[in-house]
Amino acid sequence: MRALVYHGPGRKAWEDVPKPEIIDSTDAIVRVDATTICGTDLHILKGDLPDVPDGRILGHEAVGTVDAVGRGVSTVKVGDRVLVSCISVCGTCRFCRDGHSGQCLGGGGWILGYKIDGTQAEYVRVPFADTSTFSMPDGAADEDILMLADILPTAYEVGVLNGNVQPGDVVAIVGAGPIGLSAIMGARLFSPSHIVAIDLADTRLEAAKRFGADITVNNSREDPLEIVRSLTGGLGADVTIEAVGVPATFELAVKLSRPGGRIANIGVHGEPATLHLEEQWIRNITITTGLVDAYATTTLLRLVASHHVHPGLFVTHHFGLNEFDKAYDVFGRAAETGALKVVLSRSA
Ligand SMILES: NC(=O)c1ccc[n+]([C@@H]2O[C@H](COP(=O)([O-])OP(=O)(O)OC[C@H]3O[C@@H](n4cnc5c(N)ncnc54)[C@H](O)[C@@H]3O)[C@@H](O)[C@H]2O)c1
Ligand SMILES: [Zn+2]
Ligand SMILES: [Zn+2]
């Protein structure tokens, strides 16, 4: 089969590799019908995650058809159409039983396209298939459900729920990439009074408006602190969601918060960020961080079915599975191309 193989920073190739086989009895082999590229894949290609070895197949998001199952798989059958989550769930360890599978101790967690071969391939081995896949709802489009593999649960759990967005809140979201936009979509479910989206790229801010941001701020030209304070009687945002992953945006997120406010960090950080505890100790803020656990995926599937969440809004570009070079190029130049999520599918 063919797969997108990582060969060290800046190097990847769509090449022939052996088709994956069942290794553990709880595995399934899934034929990939549609997959996509995540900002985290770009981090890997930049060399930000040095523990990813040469030879790793990238990708941690897919929708596909089950091709084979191990003897220990009981609910997933050959021919089933499934969503493959970015988080694998052993289902039996302490963290999985508490709903914190991102921290799985039993060999799950974020492993696809990182610790084991991933989904940017014609076939993928999915460990713990019963607990790490979701059956595709009847009539749903592959590309809509694909958005539930990572970005929607990530922003909903780590941003919106950790930030405890409440009706009437002013919510400031720093970063309007796919994750920030998903946070807008998720926050709207709770009827905040204002969502303020902050980004350096006008293309992303235009997308933020389409996703339901009330106010957009280009922080290369405007001062987000002034705008958020003017909305809140000088206090600051009730909830601030950091969706970029650089020191400046974490520090901005803290500054934007009101006393007693909640700051939910989603960004993957590659270097230290400063927490000005000498200013913040007295302000009763709560800061949360997290890796997605995917415990909200079933909730989000219901919200897609009831048309409260519209994942189709993310999909800006379509490619065939053999067009990874083009797809990475378009996704990697998102500020110019307007790319949000690119979908690579068998049928494109
Ligand atoms: N915690 C998790 O489980 C998890 C899961 C998936 C992704 N992530 C992380 O979430 C972050 C966002 O992901 P994404 O796919 O949306 O990334 P992205 O790169 O597509 O989007 C980031 C956005 O931030 C904007 N930006 C950059 N610097 C800025 C600044 N100084 N001020 C304001 N805006 C700025 C960019 O213009 C871009 O629109 C990444 O760090 C990603 O690795 C975390
Ligand atoms: Zn991801
Ligand atoms: Zn576990």
mmCIF file of all heavy atoms in Angstrom, residues 184-230:
data_model
loop_
_atom_site.group_PDB
_atom_site.id
_atom_site.type_symbol
_atom_site.label_atom_id
_atom_site.label_comp_id
_atom_site.label_asym_id
_atom_site.label_seq_id
_atom_site.Cartn_x
_atom_site.Cartn_y
_atom_site.Cartn_z
ATOM 1 N N ILE A 184 -14.953 28.540 18.765
ATOM 2 C CA ILE A 184 -16.080 29.462 18.539
ATOM 3 C C ILE A 184 -17.371 28.653 18.404
ATOM 4 O O ILE A 184 -18.389 28.937 19.044
ATOM 5 C CB ILE A 184 -15.858 30.315 17.265
ATOM 6 C CG1 ILE A 184 -14.650 31.244 17.439
ATOM 7 C CG2 ILE A 184 -17.120 31.116 16.917
ATOM 8 C CD1 ILE A 184 -14.269 32.004 16.162
ATOM 9 N N MET A 185 -17.296 27.597 17.565
ATOM 10 C CA MET A 185 -18.477 26.757 17.326
ATOM 11 C C MET A 185 -18.976 26.139 18.638
ATOM 12 O O MET A 185 -20.179 26.112 18.905
ATOM 13 C CB MET A 185 -18.070 25.655 16.352
ATOM 14 C CG MET A 185 -19.158 25.127 15.503
ATOM 15 S SD MET A 185 -18.472 23.927 14.313
ATOM 16 C CE MET A 185 -18.799 24.720 12.780
ATOM 17 N N GLY A 186 -18.042 25.652 19.450
ATOM 18 C CA GLY A 186 -18.421 25.012 20.714
ATOM 19 C C GLY A 186 -18.924 26.012 21.729
ATOM 20 O O GLY A 186 -19.898 25.747 22.453
ATOM 21 N N ALA A 187 -18.306 27.183 21.798
ATOM 22 C CA ALA A 187 -18.714 28.193 22.786
ATOM 23 C C ALA A 187 -20.130 28.681 22.500
ATOM 24 O O ALA A 187 -20.909 28.941 23.426
ATOM 25 C CB ALA A 187 -17.725 29.359 22.778
ATOM 26 N N ARG A 188 -20.475 28.769 21.221
ATOM 27 C CA ARG A 188 -21.818 29.265 20.863
ATOM 28 C C ARG A 188 -22.941 28.391 21.424
ATOM 29 O O ARG A 188 -24.056 28.872 21.642
ATOM 30 C CB ARG A 188 -21.957 29.372 19.337
ATOM 31 C CG ARG A 188 -21.298 30.617 18.793
ATOM 32 C CD ARG A 188 -21.388 30.640 17.284
ATOM 33 N NE ARG A 188 -22.766 30.682 16.818
ATOM 34 C CZ ARG A 188 -23.463 31.794 16.633
ATOM 35 N NH1 ARG A 188 -22.916 32.966 16.878
ATOM 36 N NH2 ARG A 188 -24.707 31.746 16.201
ATOM 37 N N LEU A 189 -22.646 27.117 21.657
ATOM 38 C CA LEU A 189 -23.671 26.225 22.216
ATOM 39 C C LEU A 189 -24.132 26.694 23.589
ATOM 40 O O LEU A 189 -25.185 26.296 24.071
ATOM 41 C CB LEU A 189 -23.112 24.798 22.331
ATOM 42 C CG LEU A 189 -22.749 24.122 21.005
ATOM 43 C CD1 LEU A 189 -21.906 22.879 21.262
ATOM 44 C CD2 LEU A 189 -24.020 23.772 20.237
ATOM 45 N N PHE A 190 -23.315 27.541 24.248
ATOM 46 C CA PHE A 190 -23.629 27.984 25.614
ATOM 47 C C PHE A 190 -24.151 29.419 25.666
ATOM 48 O O PHE A 190 -24.221 29.998 26.743
ATOM 49 C CB PHE A 190 -22.374 27.841 26.492
ATOM 50 C CG PHE A 190 -21.970 26.402 26.673
ATOM 51 C CD1 PHE A 190 -21.157 25.774 25.745
ATOM 52 C CD2 PHE A 190 -22.447 25.659 27.740
ATOM 53 C CE1 PHE A 190 -20.798 24.433 25.881
ATOM 54 C CE2 PHE A 190 -22.102 24.317 27.890
ATOM 55 C CZ PHE A 190 -21.273 23.712 26.962
ATOM 56 N N SER A 191 -24.478 30.004 24.512
ATOM 57 C CA SER A 191 -25.030 31.368 24.458
ATOM 58 C C SER A 191 -24.191 32.423 25.178
ATOM 59 O O SER A 191 -24.690 33.121 26.071
ATOM 60 C CB SER A 191 -26.443 31.398 25.048
ATOM 61 O OG SER A 191 -27.271 30.512 24.381
ATOM 62 N N PRO A 192 -22.931 32.551 24.842
ATOM 63 C CA PRO A 192 -22.159 33.657 25.418
ATOM 64 C C PRO A 192 -22.700 34.984 24.878
ATOM 65 O O PRO A 192 -23.341 35.003 23.825
ATOM 66 C CB PRO A 192 -20.735 33.411 24.907
ATOM 67 C CG PRO A 192 -20.898 32.607 23.669
ATOM 68 C CD PRO A 192 -22.156 31.788 23.836
ATOM 69 N N SER A 193 -22.464 36.082 25.601
ATOM 70 C CA SER A 193 -22.971 37.369 25.088
ATOM 71 C C SER A 193 -22.109 37.859 23.930
ATOM 72 O O SER A 193 -22.626 38.396 22.951
ATOM 73 C CB SER A 193 -23.026 38.419 26.199
ATOM 74 O OG SER A 193 -21.731 38.739 26.630
ATOM 75 N N HIS A 194 -20.801 37.669 24.015
ATOM 76 C CA HIS A 194 -19.907 38.078 22.924
ATOM 77 C C HIS A 194 -18.777 37.086 22.783
ATOM 78 O O HIS A 194 -18.198 36.664 23.791
ATOM 79 C CB HIS A 194 -19.267 39.443 23.204
ATOM 80 C CG HIS A 194 -20.229 40.570 23.188
ATOM 81 N ND1 HIS A 194 -20.913 40.981 24.309
ATOM 82 C CD2 HIS A 194 -20.634 41.367 22.177
ATOM 83 C CE1 HIS A 194 -21.691 41.987 23.986
ATOM 84 N NE2 HIS A 194 -21.558 42.248 22.697
ATOM 85 N N ILE A 195 -18.465 36.753 21.538
ATOM 86 C CA ILE A 195 -17.235 35.993 21.257
ATOM 87 C C ILE A 195 -16.310 36.927 20.487
ATOM 88 O O ILE A 195 -16.695 37.481 19.444
ATOM 89 C CB ILE A 195 -17.522 34.733 20.419
ATOM 90 C CG1 ILE A 195 -18.403 33.762 21.214
ATOM 91 C CG2 ILE A 195 -16.216 34.062 20.002
ATOM 92 C CD1 ILE A 195 -18.795 32.512 20.454
ATOM 93 N N VAL A 196 -15.118 37.131 21.042
ATOM 94 C CA VAL A 196 -14.124 37.994 20.395
ATOM 95 C C VAL A 196 -13.022 37.084 19.851
ATOM 96 O O VAL A 196 -12.384 36.351 20.616
ATOM 97 C CB VAL A 196 -13.509 38.985 21.407
ATOM 98 C CG1 VAL A 196 -12.550 39.939 20.705
ATOM 99 C CG2 VAL A 196 -14.609 39.748 22.155
ATOM 100 N N ALA A 197 -12.804 37.112 18.538
ATOM 101 C CA ALA A 197 -11.748 36.285 17.927
ATOM 102 C C ALA A 197 -10.559 37.176 17.600
ATOM 103 O O ALA A 197 -10.723 38.263 17.036
ATOM 104 C CB ALA A 197 -12.275 35.619 16.664
ATOM 105 N N ILE A 198 -9.372 36.717 17.971
ATOM 106 C CA ILE A 198 -8.149 37.509 17.812
ATOM 107 C C ILE A 198 -7.152 36.709 16.981
ATOM 108 O O ILE A 198 -6.856 35.555 17.305
ATOM 109 C CB ILE A 198 -7.546 37.821 19.204
ATOM 110 C CG1 ILE A 198 -8.575 38.579 20.052
ATOM 111 C CG2 ILE A 198 -6.227 38.591 19.074
ATOM 112 C CD1 ILE A 198 -8.329 38.491 21.547
ATOM 113 N N ASP A 199 -6.651 37.293 15.893
ATOM 114 C CA ASP A 199 -5.671 36.590 15.052
ATOM 115 C C ASP A 199 -4.890 37.650 14.275
ATOM 116 O O ASP A 199 -5.321 38.804 14.153
ATOM 117 C CB ASP A 199 -6.384 35.624 14.079
ATOM 118 C CG ASP A 199 -5.473 34.519 13.555
ATOM 119 O OD1 ASP A 199 -4.514 34.825 12.796
ATOM 120 O OD2 ASP A 199 -5.699 33.345 13.898
ATOM 121 N N LEU A 200 -3.728 37.235 13.758
ATOM 122 C CA LEU A 200 -2.908 38.146 12.948
ATOM 123 C C LEU A 200 -3.306 38.102 11.477
ATOM 124 O O LEU A 200 -2.919 38.978 10.715
ATOM 125 C CB LEU A 200 -1.427 37.733 13.051
ATOM 126 C CG LEU A 200 -0.780 37.796 14.434
ATOM 127 C CD1 LEU A 200 0.597 37.129 14.404
ATOM 128 C CD2 LEU A 200 -0.658 39.244 14.895
ATOM 129 N N ALA A 201 -4.054 37.073 11.069
ATOM 130 C CA ALA A 201 -4.362 36.881 9.644
ATOM 131 C C ALA A 201 -5.812 37.254 9.363
ATOM 132 O O ALA A 201 -6.740 36.695 9.966
ATOM 133 C CB ALA A 201 -4.119 35.425 9.257
ATOM 134 N N ASP A 202 -6.006 38.190 8.418
ATOM 135 C CA ASP A 202 -7.367 38.614 8.082
ATOM 136 C C ASP A 202 -8.195 37.470 7.508
ATOM 137 O O ASP A 202 -9.407 37.402 7.752
ATOM 138 C CB ASP A 202 -7.326 39.783 7.091
ATOM 139 C CG ASP A 202 -6.864 41.072 7.780
ATOM 140 O OD1 ASP A 202 -7.164 41.244 8.977
ATOM 141 O OD2 ASP A 202 -6.177 41.875 7.119
ATOM 142 N N THR A 203 -7.543 36.557 6.749
ATOM 143 C CA THR A 203 -8.307 35.421 6.194
ATOM 144 C C THR A 203 -8.926 34.601 7.325
ATOM 145 O O THR A 203 -10.063 34.139 7.224
ATOM 146 C CB THR A 203 -7.391 34.488 5.362
ATOM 147 O OG1 THR A 203 -6.199 34.246 6.090
ATOM 148 C CG2 THR A 203 -7.056 35.087 4.017
ATOM 149 N N ARG A 204 -8.177 34.421 8.396
ATOM 150 C CA ARG A 204 -8.674 33.636 9.519
ATOM 151 C C ARG A 204 -9.788 34.390 10.261
ATOM 152 O O ARG A 204 -10.743 33.792 10.754
ATOM 153 C CB ARG A 204 -7.517 33.290 10.463
ATOM 154 C CG ARG A 204 -6.549 32.251 9.871
ATOM 155 C CD ARG A 204 -7.200 30.919 9.887
ATOM 156 N NE ARG A 204 -6.630 29.836 9.130
ATOM 157 C CZ ARG A 204 -5.720 28.958 9.562
ATOM 158 N NH1 ARG A 204 -5.122 29.131 10.725
ATOM 159 N NH2 ARG A 204 -5.389 27.933 8.824
ATOM 160 N N LEU A 205 -9.663 35.719 10.317
ATOM 161 C CA LEU A 205 -10.696 36.506 11.003
ATOM 162 C C LEU A 205 -12.001 36.509 10.199
ATOM 163 O O LEU A 205 -13.091 36.505 10.776
ATOM 164 C CB LEU A 205 -10.186 37.925 11.266
ATOM 165 C CG LEU A 205 -9.040 37.966 12.282
ATOM 166 C CD1 LEU A 205 -8.405 39.361 12.338
ATOM 167 C CD2 LEU A 205 -9.518 37.562 13.685
ATOM 168 N N GLU A 206 -11.860 36.482 8.860
ATOM 169 C CA GLU A 206 -13.076 36.377 8.037
ATOM 170 C C GLU A 206 -13.771 35.040 8.324
ATOM 171 O O GLU A 206 -14.994 34.972 8.438
ATOM 172 C CB GLU A 206 -12.726 36.477 6.545
ATOM 173 C CG GLU A 206 -12.509 37.919 6.111
ATOM 174 C CD GLU A 206 -11.554 38.038 4.930
ATOM 175 O OE1 GLU A 206 -11.433 37.079 4.141
ATOM 176 O OE2 GLU A 206 -10.909 39.110 4.831
ATOM 177 N N ALA A 207 -12.956 33.986 8.435
ATOM 178 C CA ALA A 207 -13.534 32.676 8.776
ATOM 179 C C ALA A 207 -14.198 32.751 10.149
ATOM 180 O O ALA A 207 -15.295 32.223 10.347
ATOM 181 C CB ALA A 207 -12.452 31.601 8.752
ATOM 182 N N ALA A 208 -13.564 33.433 11.083
ATOM 183 C CA ALA A 208 -14.125 33.537 12.443
ATOM 184 C C ALA A 208 -15.519 34.153 12.397
ATOM 185 O O ALA A 208 -16.423 33.720 13.125
ATOM 186 C CB ALA A 208 -13.189 34.350 13.338
ATOM 187 N N LYS A 209 -15.712 35.143 11.516
ATOM 188 C CA LYS A 209 -17.053 35.758 11.383
ATOM 189 C C LYS A 209 -18.047 34.724 10.870
ATOM 190 O O LYS A 209 -19.174 34.636 11.354
ATOM 191 C CB LYS A 209 -16.998 36.947 10.430
ATOM 192 C CG LYS A 209 -16.460 38.183 11.102
ATOM 193 C CD LYS A 209 -16.698 39.428 10.237
ATOM 194 C CE LYS A 209 -15.756 40.524 10.682
ATOM 195 N NZ LYS A 209 -15.062 41.175 9.583
ATOM 196 N N ARG A 210 -17.629 33.930 9.876
ATOM 197 C CA ARG A 210 -18.535 32.897 9.340
ATOM 198 C C ARG A 210 -18.900 31.883 10.414
ATOM 199 O O ARG A 210 -19.983 31.314 10.411
ATOM 200 C CB ARG A 210 -17.872 32.140 8.172
ATOM 201 C CG ARG A 210 -17.609 32.964 6.940
ATOM 202 C CD ARG A 210 -17.417 32.063 5.710
ATOM 203 N NE ARG A 210 -16.269 31.179 5.785
ATOM 204 C CZ ARG A 210 -15.024 31.530 5.475
ATOM 205 N NH1 ARG A 210 -14.764 32.767 5.091
ATOM 206 N NH2 ARG A 210 -14.040 30.655 5.561
ATOM 207 N N PHE A 211 -17.996 31.638 11.338
ATOM 208 C CA PHE A 211 -18.239 30.645 12.399
ATOM 209 C C PHE A 211 -19.030 31.243 13.570
ATOM 210 O O PHE A 211 -19.375 30.528 14.501
ATOM 211 C CB PHE A 211 -16.912 30.071 12.905
ATOM 212 C CG PHE A 211 -16.396 28.949 12.052
ATOM 213 C CD1 PHE A 211 -15.901 29.194 10.776
ATOM 214 C CD2 PHE A 211 -16.413 27.648 12.514
ATOM 215 C CE1 PHE A 211 -15.429 28.164 9.982
ATOM 216 C CE2 PHE A 211 -15.944 26.605 11.723
ATOM 217 C CZ PHE A 211 -15.453 26.858 10.458
ATOM 218 N N GLY A 212 -19.245 32.575 13.545
ATOM 219 C CA GLY A 212 -20.109 33.152 14.573
ATOM 220 C C GLY A 212 -19.418 34.042 15.591
ATOM 221 O O GLY A 212 -20.009 34.361 16.622
ATOM 222 N N ALA A 213 -18.171 34.475 15.321
ATOM 223 C CA ALA A 213 -17.553 35.455 16.222
ATOM 224 C C ALA A 213 -18.320 36.769 16.098
ATOM 225 O O ALA A 213 -18.715 37.164 15.001
ATOM 226 C CB ALA A 213 -16.089 35.666 15.853
ATOM 227 N N ASP A 214 -18.553 37.435 17.222
ATOM 228 C CA ASP A 214 -19.270 38.709 17.189
ATOM 229 C C ASP A 214 -18.321 39.847 16.833
ATOM 230 O O ASP A 214 -18.721 40.825 16.203
ATOM 231 C CB ASP A 214 -19.910 38.974 18.560
ATOM 232 C CG ASP A 214 -20.862 37.870 18.937
ATOM 233 O OD1 ASP A 214 -21.929 37.780 18.301
ATOM 234 O OD2 ASP A 214 -20.518 37.057 19.832
ATOM 235 N N ILE A 215 -17.091 39.736 17.310
ATOM 236 C CA ILE A 215 -16.104 40.792 17.092
ATOM 237 C C ILE A 215 -14.801 40.120 16.676
ATOM 238 O O ILE A 215 -14.408 39.104 17.254
ATOM 239 C CB ILE A 215 -15.900 41.596 18.396
ATOM 240 C CG1 ILE A 215 -17.214 42.302 18.758
ATOM 241 C CG2 ILE A 215 -14.756 42.605 18.278
ATOM 242 C CD1 ILE A 215 -17.257 42.832 20.158
ATOM 243 N N THR A 216 -14.125 40.681 15.656
ATOM 244 C CA THR A 216 -12.816 40.138 15.281
ATOM 245 C C THR A 216 -11.773 41.228 15.463
ATOM 246 O O THR A 216 -12.037 42.404 15.214
ATOM 247 C CB THR A 216 -12.813 39.630 13.822
ATOM 248 O OG1 THR A 216 -13.200 40.701 12.971
ATOM 249 C CG2 THR A 216 -13.761 38.467 13.629
ATOM 250 N N VAL A 217 -10.610 40.812 15.917
ATOM 251 C CA VAL A 217 -9.535 41.762 16.212
ATOM 252 C C VAL A 217 -8.257 41.275 15.537
ATOM 253 O O VAL A 217 -7.800 40.152 15.815
ATOM 254 C CB VAL A 217 -9.271 41.859 17.740
ATOM 255 C CG1 VAL A 217 -8.183 42.885 18.031
ATOM 256 C CG2 VAL A 217 -10.550 42.183 18.498
ATOM 257 N N ASN A 218 -7.687 42.089 14.655
ATOM 258 C CA ASN A 218 -6.372 41.760 14.111
ATOM 259 C C ASN A 218 -5.344 42.408 15.023
ATOM 260 O O ASN A 218 -5.176 43.631 15.029
ATOM 261 C CB ASN A 218 -6.235 42.260 12.672
ATOM 262 C CG ASN A 218 -4.916 41.793 12.077
ATOM 263 O OD1 ASN A 218 -3.868 41.801 12.753
ATOM 264 N ND2 ASN A 218 -4.949 41.366 10.833
ATOM 265 N N ASN A 219 -4.671 41.587 15.829
ATOM 266 C CA ASN A 219 -3.783 42.149 16.859
ATOM 267 C C ASN A 219 -2.455 42.647 16.296
ATOM 268 O O ASN A 219 -1.603 43.102 17.048
ATOM 269 C CB ASN A 219 -3.574 41.180 18.038
ATOM 270 C CG ASN A 219 -3.053 39.823 17.642
ATOM 271 O OD1 ASN A 219 -3.393 39.307 16.590
ATOM 272 N ND2 ASN A 219 -2.226 39.237 18.483
ATOM 273 N N SER A 220 -2.284 42.593 14.941
ATOM 274 C CA SER A 220 -1.136 43.303 14.369
ATOM 275 C C SER A 220 -1.470 44.781 14.193
ATOM 276 O O SER A 220 -0.588 45.613 14.043
ATOM 277 C CB SER A 220 -0.726 42.687 13.034
ATOM 278 O OG SER A 220 -1.704 42.978 12.052
ATOM 279 N N ARG A 221 -2.777 45.102 14.203
ATOM 280 C CA ARG A 221 -3.192 46.497 13.989
ATOM 281 C C ARG A 221 -3.963 47.087 15.163
ATOM 282 O O ARG A 221 -3.963 48.296 15.357
ATOM 283 C CB ARG A 221 -4.134 46.585 12.770
ATOM 284 C CG ARG A 221 -3.566 46.154 11.459
ATOM 285 C CD ARG A 221 -4.484 46.594 10.325
ATOM 286 N NE ARG A 221 -5.794 45.935 10.369
ATOM 287 C CZ ARG A 221 -6.080 44.822 9.689
ATOM 288 N NH1 ARG A 221 -5.170 44.254 8.924
ATOM 289 N NH2 ARG A 221 -7.279 44.289 9.774
ATOM 290 N N GLU A 222 -4.662 46.220 15.909
ATOM 291 C CA GLU A 222 -5.543 46.729 16.969
ATOM 292 C C GLU A 222 -5.141 46.122 18.303
ATOM 293 O O GLU A 222 -4.533 45.052 18.335
ATOM 294 C CB GLU A 222 -6.997 46.330 16.672
ATOM 295 C CG GLU A 222 -7.518 46.810 15.335
ATOM 296 C CD GLU A 222 -8.767 46.034 14.922
ATOM 297 O OE1 GLU A 222 -8.666 44.864 14.534
ATOM 298 O OE2 GLU A 222 -9.848 46.637 15.000
ATOM 299 N N ASP A 223 -5.554 46.785 19.391
ATOM 300 C CA ASP A 223 -5.188 46.312 20.725
ATOM 301 C C ASP A 223 -6.349 45.484 21.306
ATOM 302 O O ASP A 223 -7.382 46.040 21.684
ATOM 303 C CB ASP A 223 -4.890 47.509 21.629
ATOM 304 C CG ASP A 223 -4.498 47.052 23.039
ATOM 305 O OD1 ASP A 223 -4.418 45.824 23.261
ATOM 306 O OD2 ASP A 223 -4.302 47.927 23.901
ATOM 307 N N PRO A 224 -6.191 44.161 21.375
ATOM 308 C CA PRO A 224 -7.302 43.329 21.852
ATOM 309 C C PRO A 224 -7.689 43.630 23.302
ATOM 310 O O PRO A 224 -8.852 43.517 23.682
ATOM 311 C CB PRO A 224 -6.766 41.894 21.726
ATOM 312 C CG PRO A 224 -5.308 41.993 21.502
ATOM 313 C CD PRO A 224 -4.995 43.361 21.014
ATOM 314 N N LEU A 225 -6.698 44.063 24.097
ATOM 315 C CA LEU A 225 -6.962 44.340 25.510
ATOM 316 C C LEU A 225 -7.968 45.489 25.640
ATOM 317 O O LEU A 225 -8.944 45.414 26.398
ATOM 318 C CB LEU A 225 -5.637 44.707 26.186
ATOM 319 C CG LEU A 225 -5.560 44.583 27.689
ATOM 320 C CD1 LEU A 225 -5.912 43.171 28.127
ATOM 321 C CD2 LEU A 225 -4.147 44.945 28.176
ATOM 322 N N GLU A 226 -7.730 46.525 24.834
ATOM 323 C CA GLU A 226 -8.630 47.688 24.862
ATOM 324 C C GLU A 226 -10.048 47.282 24.443
ATOM 325 O O GLU A 226 -11.034 47.676 25.068
ATOM 326 C CB GLU A 226 -8.088 48.702 23.859
ATOM 327 C CG GLU A 226 -8.333 50.145 24.212
ATOM 328 C CD GLU A 226 -7.514 50.999 23.259
ATOM 329 O OE1 GLU A 226 -8.062 51.342 22.196
ATOM 330 O OE2 GLU A 226 -6.329 51.266 23.577
ATOM 331 N N ILE A 227 -10.121 46.451 23.392
ATOM 332 C CA ILE A 227 -11.435 46.077 22.856
ATOM 333 C C ILE A 227 -12.190 45.201 23.867
ATOM 334 O O ILE A 227 -13.380 45.421 24.123
ATOM 335 C CB ILE A 227 -11.265 45.386 21.488
ATOM 336 C CG1 ILE A 227 -10.767 46.434 20.483
ATOM 337 C CG2 ILE A 227 -12.560 44.732 21.016
ATOM 338 C CD1 ILE A 227 -10.270 45.906 19.181
ATOM 339 N N VAL A 228 -11.497 44.235 24.470
ATOM 340 C CA VAL A 228 -12.161 43.347 25.440
ATOM 341 C C VAL A 228 -12.554 44.144 26.686
ATOM 342 O O VAL A 228 -13.649 43.977 27.225
ATOM 343 C CB VAL A 228 -11.247 42.138 25.782
ATOM 344 C CG1 VAL A 228 -11.774 41.385 26.994
ATOM 345 C CG2 VAL A 228 -11.149 41.200 24.581
ATOM 346 N N ARG A 229 -11.704 45.048 27.115
ATOM 347 C CA ARG A 229 -12.056 45.863 28.301
ATOM 348 C C ARG A 229 -13.253 46.764 28.013
ATOM 349 O O ARG A 229 -14.114 46.953 28.871
ATOM 350 C CB ARG A 229 -10.850 46.686 28.751
ATOM 351 C CG ARG A 229 -9.845 45.794 29.458
ATOM 352 C CD ARG A 229 -8.735 46.591 30.086
ATOM 353 N NE ARG A 229 -7.848 45.692 30.807
ATOM 354 C CZ ARG A 229 -6.581 45.939 31.072
ATOM 355 N NH1 ARG A 229 -6.028 47.083 30.681
ATOM 356 N NH2 ARG A 229 -5.852 45.077 31.734
ATOM 357 N N SER A 230 -13.319 47.298 26.781
ATOM 358 C CA SER A 230 -14.432 48.201 26.476
ATOM 359 C C SER A 230 -15.766 47.444 26.484
ATOM 360 O O SER A 230 -16.823 48.019 26.729
ATOM 361 C CB SER A 230 -14.209 48.905 25.136
ATOM 362 O OG SER A 230 -14.351 47.968 24.101
#
